Amino acid sequence: MSKMIVYNIDKKWILDKQDSFIESMHSVERDSYLLSLYNYMYRKDNFPRHLSNIRVGDICYCDFGDAYQYEIGYQHLGVVISIVKQKLFVVPIISEKHEKILYTQYRLSKDSYSCLKNDSIALLNDSKWISKSRVIRIVGKMNAYGNDFKQLKYKVIEFIL
């Protein structure tokens, strides 16, 4: 028999702590946090109808939500690798910052994708299932039958297994 955990939550104390927590953040992180909170409040139960046509290979601007250390969070691009019901398996994308690529990364050239302003890196180890509601907009596409997409998908599978 499983036991249910019950929390005694003092809402006022949590909201007071949240205010001081937000004030102590660096301005860039604070803006990302508040935008993510707004997205959550607005989009949680209101999936934008214009995004109902998301397809495998789409490059989307997504809100990955709050992040702990060493994980993707807030707003980033991501490429949709798989779709099951209302969930997307997405590989987050960041602008390239290093010449040397790690085994946990896959390079995407800005010359191959008009939606990328810089050479970018797909973060294989931050791939995850997200709700379609986390997609803010579709910005581009990888050819789901093209070599680059197949290699990325293979790298994700290889990394997971």
Side-chain angles (χ1 to χ4, degrees), residues 37-66:
L37 178 61
Y38 168 79
N39 284 337
Y40 176 73
M41 291 186 305
Y42 176 72
R43 303 164 83 78
K44 180 182 176 294
D45 297 318
N46 299 306
F47 178 71
R49 295 196 200 296
H50 71 281
L51 293 173
S52 60
N53 61 341
I54 298 170
R55 303 281 184 258
V56 169
D58 283 349
I59 298 174
C60 305
Y61 192 59
C62 304
D63 189 328
F64 290 95
D66 296 347

Side-chain angles (χ1 to χ4, degrees), residues 22-35:
I22 291 170
E23 289 302 317
S24 69
M25 289 176 159
H26 183 275
S27 63
V28 173
E29 184 180 13
R30 181 176 52 241
D31 292 349
S32 294
Y33 176 83
L34 292 172
L35 179 57

Side-chain angles (χ1 to χ4, degrees), residues 73-130:
Y74 307 124
Q75 296 80 34
H76 290 280
L77 292 178
V79 60
V80 178
I81 299 296
S82 180
I83 302 173
V84 178
K85 297 190 180 187
Q86 296 301 312
K87 301 271 285 280
L88 311 172
F89 191 73
V90 177
V91 181
I93 299 171
I94 60 169
S95 292
E96 184 175 352
K97 293 182 172 68
H98 306 288
E99 285 298 313
K100 188 175 180 185
I101 195 141
L102 303 173
Y103 74 98
T104 60
Q105 302 170 338
Y106 184 82
R107 188 183 311 273
L108 297 170
S109 169
K110 71 176 179 179
D111 298 330
S112 299
Y113 306 98
S114 61
C115 62
L116 299 178
K117 294 178 183 168
N118 303 304
D119 287 340
S120 298
I121 294 174
L123 301 175
L124 307 176
N125 60 326
D126 277 303
S127 301
K128 63 186 193 175
W129 289 99
I130 64 171

